[in-house]
Amino acid sequence: MAKAGFSCSWHMITAKKRSFYAIASAGNPPGLEMRNGKMVNGIHVKETPSPYIGNTNPSGLVIDSNVVEPQTFLLGRFVEDRFVYRQTFSIRSYEIGPDKTATMETLMNLLQETALNHVTSSGLAGDGFGATREMSLRKLIWVVTRIHVQVERYNCWGDVVEIDTWVDATGKNGMRRDWIIRDYKTQEIITRATSTWVIMNRETRKLSKIPGEVREELQPFYINRLAIPAEHNDVEKIDKLTDETAGRIQSGLAPRWSDMDANQHVNNVKYIGWILESVPMHVLEHYNLTSMTLEYRRECRQSSLLESLTSTSEDSNSSSSNRKADMEYTHLLRMQADKAEIVRARTDWKSKLKHK
Amino acid sequence: MAKAGFSCSWHMITAKKRSFYAIASAGNPPGLEMRNGKMVNGIHVKETPSPYIGNTNPSGLVIDSNVVEPQTFLLGRFVEDRFVYRQTFSIRSYEIGPDKTATMETLMNLLQETALNHVTSSGLAGDGFGATREMSLRKLIWVVTRIHVQVERYNCWGDVVEIDTWVDATGKNGMRRDWIIRDYKTQEIITRATSTWVIMNRETRKLSKIPGEVREELQPFYINRLAIPAEHNDVEKIDKLTDETAGRIQSGLAPRWSDMDANQHVNNVKYIGWILESVPMHVLEHYNLTSMTLEYRRECRQSSLLESLTSTSEDSNSSSSNRKADMEYTHLLRMQADKAEIVRARTDWKSKLKHK
């Protein structure tokens, strides 16, 4: 399997002739041990020991009836014939924001973590974060082009969430990764997310078709299931903001050393913080961010000074939107020096009074 | 018990006449359920259901022999007659830095989380993060004055760490909280930390003696044990840096919306990132941060622009230090406008070539 993770190094690079993408490039695999070769979903994989051996409890969870090492519970496990990877997380005290609930950054971090553990646990992982063995042999990496997250409800400190993730083909040379976040206690779906990935050569930085050998690794894990029903998905192009169309511009945003990831690129979850920097304070305080779409364009390194642009507020009852929101914004994160685009984004907001 | 957590709102406030401290002030307790009243360590407490019921395995861990709900493993448990609280964590992909190991911010976040879960699990928690019931009745909160962390080795993504924490009295009106972080697999101690806390009235912002009723809650949980042996502790005063004595000054540091905590103050773990902003890049890249001492002085809100000052490099073989380092720095984080001190810090660094 080759579930493209975001990745520690899920960062932006400049593609030579085509568009720009966020990449999941080479890095050390985590310290997870692989044991026991096995045929799974029709292909040979190595697999991690299953953390859940034994009976299934009423919630559908398989529970160990023998000795359990605590760390096995810290990771996830496959469900539904290994088509879906599931991991639970407890929201930690430092993952909540000023309104005492998990932040969008926290959700994106947890999605990233689940995707990476999915790849690692699959036994198909090569030497890069999220790349398959056949991809690694060819110096190929995953790059994310778009991600869309819809949040029904944000959890509080101490709440446990359960994240499901799976992948499917999209178009001729793309892969789609979806996620669903449930409140563990109520099993209510509280967040849905979808993302699109393509393959790139990590040396030439050119996009690549999916080689046959890679397709063979991936296909047995593809499952035709949508986290976000087509009629509720955000597939519209995000308009490019300019100095003229942006209502607010926040300049001088400087990536810190601590914003860098294992590849010394800005970790792309950090972009969210900068995007929100140009959103009016009263919106941050009194509205919930209910939907976010990110379109990745270019990588960002530590030396780059950034600018965050946000459109003037728009009524979302425009015909272009199939999501209901009280407020809709368009955003652009760009280099301050040459104004090159890094990320385009669209956010929906609902009043906290109406949306609890 | 009343183990002062750092806290979601472990932030800085201005004390009227005396020194300045970081506070652990009121906030919503997390969604952890308390059940079953019980006499523990001589006092009545409510307690959370123990996640580990059953046999003890050779590592000393008590392992459940019945059905275990996964979320119980996401929290910690009491060990050693409830004098020590222990929690395991898996280092996540987004918690590692450019050198692919957990960052100092990550360690501080995990220490904070363990301390807060300690308080909550104890059954003594009042309505504030880390405050006891008797403290809450009197509008008293914990404020941290100093924290010192020594790192022997930083863990990688996927590694599991085990954190122990406990408290003791210090001086007439203080509390000490210590931590030890072990590599779960090898049980090797890889980090040691100690912190000092005093009590403050959250309305008058004045320091308070520990009331008798609060002392009675705390005392049964005190244990005379040092994470850092006295001869290796950093108890020296940290010199105040000035424009003249600072070799490097980084101005214009602006707290972001996402740096705010549940009390809309800067989460004090964020200070670490700003302090490191004035450390030379070649040090960040080629040295490990092996020791950090923070002396908290004043709170910081979002509107404040900050300056980070770092001394010129010093040889640590000076007689003032009992820790062996290749490099020692003094730091100051202050308000840019009025130069008021927020945090003083001292850091030790060892070459990565020598210190693996």
Side-chain angles (χ1 to χ4, degrees):
Chain A
M1 193 207 44
K3 322 319 181 148
F6 293 31
S7 131
C8 258
S9 48
W10 190 50
H11 54 257
M12 311 303 302
I13 59 89
T14 308
K16 288 296 186 307
K17 288 188 182 159
R18 301 170 72 174
S19 307
F20 300 108
Y21 304 91
I23 74 171
S25 69
N28 287 333
L32 299 173
E33 289 168 24
M34 300 294 179
R35 300 174 205 159
N36 310 328
K38 189 180 168 186
M39 290 297 283
V40 170
N41 295 9
I43 60 158
H44 183 87
V45 297
K46 288 184 285 183
E47 63 169 345
T48 47
S50 166
Y52 293 83
I53 312 155
N55 302 318
T56 303
N57 76 6
S59 75
L61 274 177
V62 181
I63 298 297
D64 195 343
S65 56
N66 300 307
V67 171
V68 179
E69 298 238 331
Q71 69 269 40
T72 58
F73 281 90
L74 300 172
L75 298 176
R77 64 203 178 280
F78 282 99
V79 294
E80 302 196 38
D81 292 328
R82 291 178 71 94
F83 284 114
V84 174
Y85 186 78
R86 178 172 295 169
Q87 182 163 7
T88 51
F89 297 93
S90 176
I91 304 296
R92 295 175 181 167
S93 55
Y94 54 90
E95 294 177 326
I96 63 174
D99 65 356
K100 300 177 185 173
T101 60
T103 61
M104 178 61 90
E105 286 94 325
T106 294
L107 297 187
M108 292 276 275
N109 278 331
L110 297 180
L111 298 184
Q112 166 187 312
E113 179 72 4
T114 311
L116 284 169
N117 288 336
H118 185 191
V119 180
T120 307
S121 300
S122 74
L124 268 192
D127 62 3
F129 285 172
T132 64
R133 286 195 294 262
E134 293 292 343
M135 286 173 70
S136 293
L137 289 174
R138 292 165 179 76
K139 299 178 182 172
L140 298 176
I141 55 177
W142 287 110
V143 299
V144 63
T145 58
R146 188 178 175 106
I147 182 164
H148 172 53
V149 183
Q150 292 182 1
V151 181
E152 193 63 37
R153 183 162 63 78
Y154 287 95
N155 276 94
C156 301
W157 174 37
D159 285 355
V160 177
V161 295
E162 175 182 277
I163 305 184
D164 280 6
T165 187
W166 63 89
V167 290
D168 198 4
T170 183
K172 207 174 168 189
N173 282 296
M175 190 179 75
R176 207 191 68 237
R177 174 179 284 283
D178 282 8
W179 296 267
I180 274 182
I181 307 184
R182 290 187 187 86
D183 182 301
Y184 182 79
K185 211 170 172 180
T186 66
Q187 287 291 301
E188 171 199 4
I189 293 176
I190 54 176
T191 295
R192 297 166 187 272
T194 187
S195 58
T196 310
W197 302 75
V198 293
I199 282 180
M200 174 175 286
N201 183 297
R202 73 166 175 249
E203 290 183 351
T204 67
R205 297 317 206 184
K206 285 191 179 165
L207 295 186
S208 161
K209 290 186 178 176
I210 300 185
E213 294 85 347
V214 175
R215 197 179 298 275
E216 277 175 37
E217 289 177 297
L218 300 174
Q219 261 169 350
F221 292 90
Y222 283 163
I223 177 170
N224 181 14
R225 177 186 296 184
L226 295 172
I228 301 175
E231 66 272 24
H232 295 129
N233 200 0
D234 177 10
V235 293
E236 301 151 47
K237 197 170 167 293
I238 301 177
D239 292 331
K240 180 180 176 177
L241 280 186
T242 63
D243 289 343
E244 289 67 43
T245 54
R248 299 170 56 95
I249 302 182
Q250 178 74 48
S251 299
L253 301 171
R256 305 170 193 157
W257 169 256
S258 55
D259 294 329
M260 299 297 114
D261 68 15
N263 277 5
Q264 303 194 19
H265 288 80
V266 173
N267 179 303
N268 70 351
V269 174
K270 305 279 178 178
Y271 295 142
I272 300 171
W274 293 316
I275 287 169
L276 297 184
E277 280 295 290
S278 58
V279 172
M281 185 60 66
H282 77 95
V283 175
L284 294 172
E285 282 174 355
H286 302 296
Y287 289 78
N288 278 324
L289 176 53
T290 54
S291 165
M292 177 171 239
T293 307
L294 300 170
E295 243 183 58
Y296 295 98
R297 300 263 154 175
R298 182 181 273 101
E299 74 175 331
C300 170
R301 288 171 175 271
Q302 190 179 16
S303 56
S304 320
L305 261 189
L306 308 181
E307 279 180 342
S308 173
L309 285 68
T310 287
S311 63
T312 49
S313 178
E314 278 178 44
D315 189 320
S316 73
N317 294 330
S318 66
S319 60
S320 68
S321 174
N322 57 14
R323 301 169 312 287
K324 285 170 200 144
D326 297 327
M327 204 92 82
E328 181 184 308
Y329 286 109
T330 304
H331 312 270
L332 176 64
L333 197 65
R334 69 183 185 193
M335 305 283 188
Q336 190 162 320
D338 63 0
K339 312 298 181 196
E341 290 187 282
I342 299 168
V343 191
R344 292 186 191 181
R346 173 162 41 234
T347 56
D348 290 352
W349 303 76
K350 283 188 188 168
S351 163
K352 285 185 182 176
L353 291 173
K354 297 187 229 166
H355 178 256
K356 289 239 173 191
Chain B
M1 192 207 45
K3 323 316 180 148
F6 293 28
S7 130
C8 259
S9 49
W10 189 52
H11 54 254
M12 311 303 302
I13 60 91
T14 308
K16 288 296 184 308
K17 288 185 183 163
R18 301 169 73 172
S19 308
F20 301 108
Y21 303 90
I23 75 170
S25 69
N28 287 332
L32 298 173
E33 289 167 24
M34 300 294 180
R35 301 174 202 160
N36 309 328
K38 190 179 168 186
M39 291 296 283
V40 169
N41 294 10
I43 60 159
H44 183 86
V45 297
K46 288 183 283 183
E47 64 169 342
T48 48
S50 166
Y52 292 83
I53 311 154
N55 301 318
T56 303
N57 76 5
S59 74
L61 273 178
V62 181
I63 297 298
D64 194 342
S65 57
N66 299 309
V67 171
V68 179
E69 297 239 331
Q71 70 269 39
T72 59
F73 282 88
L74 300 171
L75 298 176
R77 64 204 179 279
F78 282 100
V79 294
E80 302 196 39
D81 292 328
R82 291 178 70 93
F83 284 115
V84 174
Y85 185 77
R86 178 172 294 170
Q87 182 164 5
T88 51
F89 297 92
S90 176
I91 303 296
R92 296 176 182 167
S93 55
Y94 54 89
E95 294 177 325
I96 63 173
D99 65 356
K100 299 178 186 172
T101 60
T103 61
M104 178 62 90
E105 285 94 326
T106 293
L107 296 188
M108 293 276 276
N109 278 331
L110 297 180
L111 298 185
Q112 166 187 312
E113 179 73 5
T114 311
L116 285 170
N117 288 336
H118 184 191
V119 180
T120 307
S121 299
S122 74
L124 268 192
D127 62 3
F129 285 171
T132 64
R133 286 194 293 261
E134 294 292 343
M135 286 173 70
S136 294
L137 289 174
R138 292 164 180 76
K139 299 178 182 172
L140 298 176
I141 55 177
W142 287 110
V143 299
V144 63
T145 57
R146 188 177 175 104
I147 183 163
H148 172 52
V149 183
Q150 292 183 1
V151 181
E152 192 64 38
R153 182 162 63 79
Y154 286 94
N155 276 95
C156 301
W157 174 37
D159 285 355
V160 177
V161 296
E162 176 182 277
I163 306 184
D164 279 6
T165 188
W166 64 88
V167 289
D168 198 4
T170 183
K172 207 174 169 188
N173 281 296
M175 190 179 75
R176 207 191 68 237
R177 174 180 285 283
D178 282 7
W179 295 267
I180 274 182
I181 307 184
R182 290 188 187 84
D183 182 299
Y184 182 80
K185 210 169 174 180
T186 65
Q187 286 291 300
E188 171 199 5
I189 293 177
I190 56 176
T191 294
R192 298 165 187 271
T194 187
S195 58
T196 310
W197 302 77
V198 294
I199 281 180
M200 172 175 285
N201 184 296
R202 72 167 175 248
E203 290 183 350
T204 66
R205 298 316 207 185
K206 282 190 182 166
L207 295 186
S208 161
K209 288 185 178 176
I210 299 184
E213 294 85 347
V214 175
R215 197 179 299 276
E216 277 176 36
E217 289 179 297
L218 300 174
Q219 262 170 349
F221 292 89
Y222 283 164
I223 177 170
N224 181 13
R225 176 188 296 185
L226 297 171
I228 301 174
E231 66 271 24
H232 294 129
N233 200 359
D234 177 10
V235 292
E236 302 152 46
K237 198 172 166 293
I238 300 177
D239 293 332
K240 180 180 177 176
L241 279 187
T242 63
D243 289 344
E244 289 69 42
T245 55
R248 298 170 56 95
I249 302 182
Q250 177 74 48
S251 299
L253 301 171
R256 306 169 193 157
W257 169 256
S258 55
D259 294 329
M260 299 297 113
D261 68 16
N263 278 3
Q264 302 194 20
H265 287 79
V266 173
N267 179 304
N268 70 351
V269 173
K270 305 280 178 178
Y271 295 142
I272 300 171
W274 292 317
I275 288 169
L276 298 184
E277 279 297 289
S278 58
V279 172
M281 185 58 69
H282 77 94
V283 175
L284 294 172
E285 282 174 355
H286 301 298
Y287 289 78
N288 278 323
L289 175 54
T290 55
S291 165
M292 177 170 241
T293 309
L294 299 170
E295 244 183 58
Y296 294 98
R297 300 260 154 179
R298 181 180 276 103
E299 74 174 333
C300 171
R301 287 170 176 272
Q302 191 180 14
S303 55
S304 320
L305 262 190
L306 308 180
E307 280 180 340
S308 173
L309 284 69
T310 287
S311 63
T312 49
S313 176
E314 278 177 46
D315 189 320
S316 73
N317 293 327
S318 66
S319 59
S320 68
S321 173
N322 56 15
R323 299 170 314 285
K324 285 170 201 145
D326 296 329
M327 204 91 84
E328 181 185 308
Y329 286 109
T330 304
H331 312 270
L332 176 64
L333 196 65
R334 68 183 185 193
M335 305 284 188
Q336 190 162 321
D338 64 0
K339 312 299 180 195
E341 291 186 281
I342 299 168
V343 192
R344 293 186 191 182
R346 175 161 40 234
T347 55
D348 290 351
W349 303 77
K350 283 188 188 167
S351 164
K352 286 186 181 174
L353 292 173
K354 296 187 226 168
H355 177 256
K356 291 240 172 188

